[in-house]
């Protein structure tokens, strides 16, 4: 059955993105300037961990709507000399004093990005009561301290320079702000920054985020200690509690990063490392196992049967996931078509160095612009990760004091073969992340595709919602085969809305040492970077500055 779709044939573009190549390493991110901040660490003699931390901090200043100091996430690291992988879970935690009664279910409100019920006044997705303890600074600091090689002050210098310069507004930035104008308008500090004169900031202007550069400078000097237990912590908690949050000094001071051996999956001679069951990793492992059973020996190139096998595998793993998290009853056939349609959040990045160390990092504010709250004393845009939790009692993801986020779609993946890291890939896009990441990885492993070819190939999206979405660039025979098995939505890959996630990744050829990096073709500000000194855009000072 073919379902009507407003996205079937509305844009007239051929989207491609260039890959960067170097034997000295590569970085890929959803913003080119952030990737260059990371690549500058490689140029200065740093490793892939230095590069990924620099990239992640730089995104605070150039892509603040997706991730930042107020967010949380996962990292997977391959340590080439030690021949081992490490995972870091720096997901957020709920306030110890949180109460279910603060979040009464409101059936008239839309579901959260995780598929849980909406609540009165959208308290779990907007405003101060939607904020969890952010784990990003702890995670980045632990990665750098344990596995990096350069001083924090030098790794963070590009991020501070970008924050001091201010956010250059282009059409894409204006789009992001406009999409969340209603949420941003609820918070006076955010509204003053992003909605000057009550309207989304216009292209060719420049926004100053007050206090952000100072906050980054404090972190560069004092690390996670000042953020969770020092002077910054005092400012953060004061602002949170003034806004009505139940987060306390003890909640911040007690925060810890989980460091552990990643989940492993094997496929066609590769070992894939992901953060595990709290991420999209378990679904990825289940999807690959299902696809390998359906396709024991892959053909030379993908066939209609290949795409059917991928779709069926995604449907099966998503059904099990929804049963595990209590979103779906075991006897139910599928969710409604509206479930899982938010593809607008999170930032993913990857880095590889000449030695073969490789890192995949995904972190997020959850929704675009998170809670919509910018803390006045620090310039930090805060998450809305309370919506990771179920406001109803009795489920595995039900809210409880101090509880850590235990169900996420993020799926940073590092693939190793014959003891060498071959590629890492991740994505942004909520429920769309795992299908996109796993599809790109499967195409590389099943058919020997390069990262560049796999990222540019047409995609499908399936998450057990009653239909699957397919790119019309797939050939007629494939579309017919899929339509014979599923309700089909024909939808283009577009800049907005992103209907197939936003993938980025790096790869390395152990024989030649060539490293490759690229971002999704639908991400106009994304890209890869190779080792070079960091420089601000020479046009950075031309737009007029807008101060709140």
């Amino acid at each position: 059955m073919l379902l009507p779709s407003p996205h079937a044939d509305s844009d007239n573009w051929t989207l491609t993105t260039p890959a960067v190549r170097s034997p000295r390493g590569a970085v890929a991110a959803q913003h080119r300037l952030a990737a260059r901040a990371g690549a500058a660490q490689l140029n200065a003699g740093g490793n892939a961990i230095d590069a990924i931390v620099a990239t992640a901090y730089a995104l605070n200043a150039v892509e603040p709507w997706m991730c930042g100091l107020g967010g949380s996430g996962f990292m997977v690291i391959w340590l080439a000399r030690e021949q081992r992988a490490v995972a870091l879970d720096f997901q957020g935690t709920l306030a110890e004093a949180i109460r279910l009664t603060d979040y009464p279910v409101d059936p008239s409100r839309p579901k959260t990005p995780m598929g849980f019920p909406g609540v009165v006044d959208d308290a779990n997705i907007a405003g101060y009561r939607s904020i969890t303890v952010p784990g990003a600074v702890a995670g980045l600091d632990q990665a750098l301290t344990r596995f990096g090689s350069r001083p924090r002050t030098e790794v963070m210098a590009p991020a501070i320079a970008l924050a001091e310069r201010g956010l250059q507004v282009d059409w894409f930035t204006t789009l992001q702000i406009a999409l969340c104008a209603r949420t941003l308008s609820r918070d006076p500090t955010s509204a003053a920054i992003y909605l000057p004169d009550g309207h989304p900031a216009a292209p060719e202007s420049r926004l100053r985020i007050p206090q952000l550069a100072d906050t980054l400078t404090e972190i560069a000097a004092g690390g996670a200690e000042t953020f969770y237990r020092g002077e910054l912590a005092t400012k953060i908690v004061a602002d949170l509690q003034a806004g009505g949050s139940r987060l306390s000094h003890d909640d911040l001071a007690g925060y810890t990063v989980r460091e552990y051996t990643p989940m492993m999956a094997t496929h066609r001679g590769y070992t894939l490392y992901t953060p595990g069951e709290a991420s999209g990793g378990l679904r990825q492992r289940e999807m690959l196992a299902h696809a390998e059973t359906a396709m024991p020996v892959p053909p030379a190139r993908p066939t209609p049967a290949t795409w059917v096998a991928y779709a069926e595998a995604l449907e099966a793993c998503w059904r099990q996931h929804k049963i595990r998290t209590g979103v779906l009853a075991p006897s139910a056939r599928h969710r409604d078509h509206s479930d899982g349609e938010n593809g607008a959040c999170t930032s993913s990045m990857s880095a590889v160095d000449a030695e073969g160390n490789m890192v995949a990092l995904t972190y997020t504010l959850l929704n675009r612009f998170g809670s919509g709250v910018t803390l006045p004393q620090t310039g930090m845009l805060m998450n809305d990760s309370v919506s990771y939790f179920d406001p109803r009692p009795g489920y595995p993801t039900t809210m409880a004091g101090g509880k850590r986020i235990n169900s996420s779609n993020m799926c940073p993946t590092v693939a190793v073969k014959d003891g060498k890291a071959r590629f890492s890939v991740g994505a942004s896009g909520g429920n769309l992340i795992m299908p996109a990441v796993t599809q790109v990885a499967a195409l590389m492993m099943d058919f020997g595709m390069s990262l560049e070819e796999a990222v540019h190939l047409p995609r499908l999206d399936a998450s057990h919602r009653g239909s699957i979405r397919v790119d019309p660039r797939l050939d007629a025979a494939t579309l017919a085969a899929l339509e014979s098995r599923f309700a089909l939505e024909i939808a283009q890959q577009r800049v907005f809305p992103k209907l197939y996630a936003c993938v980025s990744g790096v790869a390395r050829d152990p024989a030649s040492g060539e490293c490759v990096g690229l971002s999704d073709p639908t991400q106009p500000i994304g890209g890869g970077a190779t080792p070079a000194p960091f420089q601000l855009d020479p046009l950075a000072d031309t737009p007029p500055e807008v101060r709140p």
Side-chain angles (χ1 to χ4, degrees):
M1 179 176 64
L2 196 63
L3 297 176
S5 171
H7 312 298
D9 189 24
S10 54
D11 285 354
N12 186 26
W13 304 100
T14 300
L15 299 173
T16 61
T17 189
V20 299
R21 291 176 168 81
S22 170
R24 299 172 57 210
V27 182
Q30 289 177 199
H31 198 290
R32 291 185 298 275
L33 274 177
R36 291 173 193 165
Q41 308 309 309
L42 302 178
N43 187 69
N47 62 22
I49 296 88
D50 300 317
I52 210 75
V53 173
T55 301
Y57 275 123
L59 286 168
N60 281 271
V62 293
E63 196 193 38
W65 51 86
M66 290 294 187
C67 63
L69 304 176
S72 58
F74 294 106
M75 189 184 310
V76 178
I77 304 169
W78 174 255
L79 300 168
R81 287 186 183 177
E82 299 179 33
Q83 292 281 286
R84 71 181 180 101
V86 177
L88 298 181
D89 173 338
F90 50 96
Q91 288 283 67
T93 56
L94 292 171
E96 282 288 351
I98 200 165
R99 301 172 184 171
L100 274 178
T101 52
D102 287 343
Y103 305 91
V105 171
D106 182 351
S108 70
R109 304 305 304 157
K111 296 172 185 172
T112 72
M114 301 301 293
F116 301 133
V119 306
V120 172
D121 196 34
D122 292 332
N124 57 348
I125 63 172
Y128 280 85
R129 284 185 292 163
S130 70
I131 299 169
T132 64
V133 175
V137 172
L140 296 177
D141 205 42
Q142 181 156 327
L144 188 64
T145 302
R146 295 267 292 120
F147 308 109
S149 64
R150 305 198 71 222
R152 189 191 306 115
T153 51
E154 294 180 17
V155 168
M156 293 185 65
I160 295 167
L162 287 165
E164 289 174 340
R165 180 202 69 175
L167 175 62
Q168 282 188 266
V169 180
D170 54 18
W171 67 268
F172 190 72
T173 304
T174 299
L175 172 64
Q176 306 308 309
I177 296 170
L179 290 167
C180 294
R182 183 171 298 177
T183 300
L184 293 168
S185 70
R186 293 174 49 153
D187 179 66
T189 305
S190 293
I193 296 168
Y194 299 104
L195 304 172
D197 301 319
H199 301 285
E204 300 186 2
S205 62
R206 183 157 47 99
L207 300 180
R208 279 281 294 174
I209 302 176
Q211 314 306 325
L212 179 59
D214 292 340
T215 298
L216 289 166
T217 300
E218 287 187 59
I219 294 169
E225 182 63 26
T226 186
F227 189 93
Y228 293 93
R229 289 167 287 277
E231 292 184 14
L232 265 180
T234 300
K235 297 176 187 176
I236 291 166
V237 173
D239 282 347
L240 287 170
Q241 294 186 349
S245 170
R246 293 188 183 275
L247 288 168
S248 69
H249 286 279
D250 288 343
D251 291 324
L252 261 69
Y255 184 81
T256 58
V257 177
R258 289 186 58 228
E259 181 180 317
Y260 56 101
T261 300
M263 174 178 282
M264 292 186 292
T266 57
H267 190 78
R268 317 289 188 198
Y270 287 82
T271 301
L272 285 82
Y273 295 96
T274 64
E277 294 189 23
S279 72
L282 179 58
R283 277 165 283 167
Q284 182 187 87
R285 186 168 71 180
E286 291 171 343
M287 184 275 187
L288 291 171
H290 192 291
E292 190 163 4
T293 298
M295 189 172 52
V297 180
R301 296 289 296 176
T303 67
T306 301
W307 294 105
V308 170
Y310 286 175
E312 288 179 339
L314 287 169
E315 285 288 284
C317 74
W318 265 98
R319 184 176 189 277
Q320 290 306 309
H321 172 71
K322 290 182 175 183
I323 291 171
R324 284 191 293 264
T325 58
V327 173
L328 182 70
S331 59
R333 296 188 63 185
H334 57 72
R335 298 295 295 174
D336 62 84
H337 293 283
S338 64
D339 186 26
E341 295 300 304
N342 188 327
C345 54
T346 308
S347 197
S348 188
M349 61 218 78
S350 291
V352 59
D353 60 34
E355 189 177 349
N357 299 301
M358 193 174 284
V359 191
L361 164 64
T362 307
Y363 84 129
T364 185
L365 297 174
L366 192 50
N367 273 334
R368 183 188 279 109
F369 284 100
S371 61
V373 169
T374 300
L375 299 186
Q377 295 186 75
T378 61
M380 289 168 45
L381 192 59
M382 300 302 291
N383 67 79
D384 65 324
S385 294
V386 167
S387 59
Y388 270 117
F389 298 90
D390 200 319
R392 303 167 299 178
Y395 291 93
T397 50
T398 294
M399 296 177 191
K403 192 170 186 176
R404 196 182 196 93
I405 296 167
N406 62 9
S407 179
S408 169
N409 293 305
M410 291 182 283
C411 197
T413 300
V414 175
V416 176
K417 188 175 185 181
D418 300 327
K420 305 288 186 182
R422 300 300 183 92
F423 65 87
S424 70
V425 65
S428 63
N431 284 2
L432 312 176
I433 292 174
M434 192 284 299
V437 169
T438 307
Q439 223 166 132
V440 168
L443 289 168
M444 295 177 71
M445 295 183 292
D446 289 344
F447 302 101
M449 291 185 187
S450 68
L451 176 64
E452 188 174 13
E453 183 181 6
V455 167
H456 281 91
L457 219 64
R459 295 182 204 153
L460 58 80
D461 179 73
S463 57
H464 198 68
R465 61 178 182 269
S467 63
I468 69 167
R469 183 181 298 126
V470 296
D471 189 326
R473 294 180 298 153
L474 288 167
D475 62 86
T478 297
L479 293 175
L482 290 167
E483 190 179 354
S484 71
R485 305 294 294 273
F486 306 100
L488 219 59
E489 308 166 56
I490 306 295
Q492 293 176 301
Q493 288 198 53
R494 311 168 73 189
V495 171
F496 179 81
K498 280 187 169 62
L499 302 172
Y500 299 94
C502 180
V503 176
S504 61
V506 297
R508 183 174 183 270
D509 182 344
S512 67
E514 182 180 66
C515 302
V516 177
L518 77 162
S519 186
D520 200 273
T522 65
Q523 181 73 355
I525 61 174
T530 53
F534 181 74
Q535 293 181 326
L536 292 175
D537 187 327
L539 300 179
D541 292 325
T542 55
E545 183 175 341
V546 179
R547 288 181 177 269

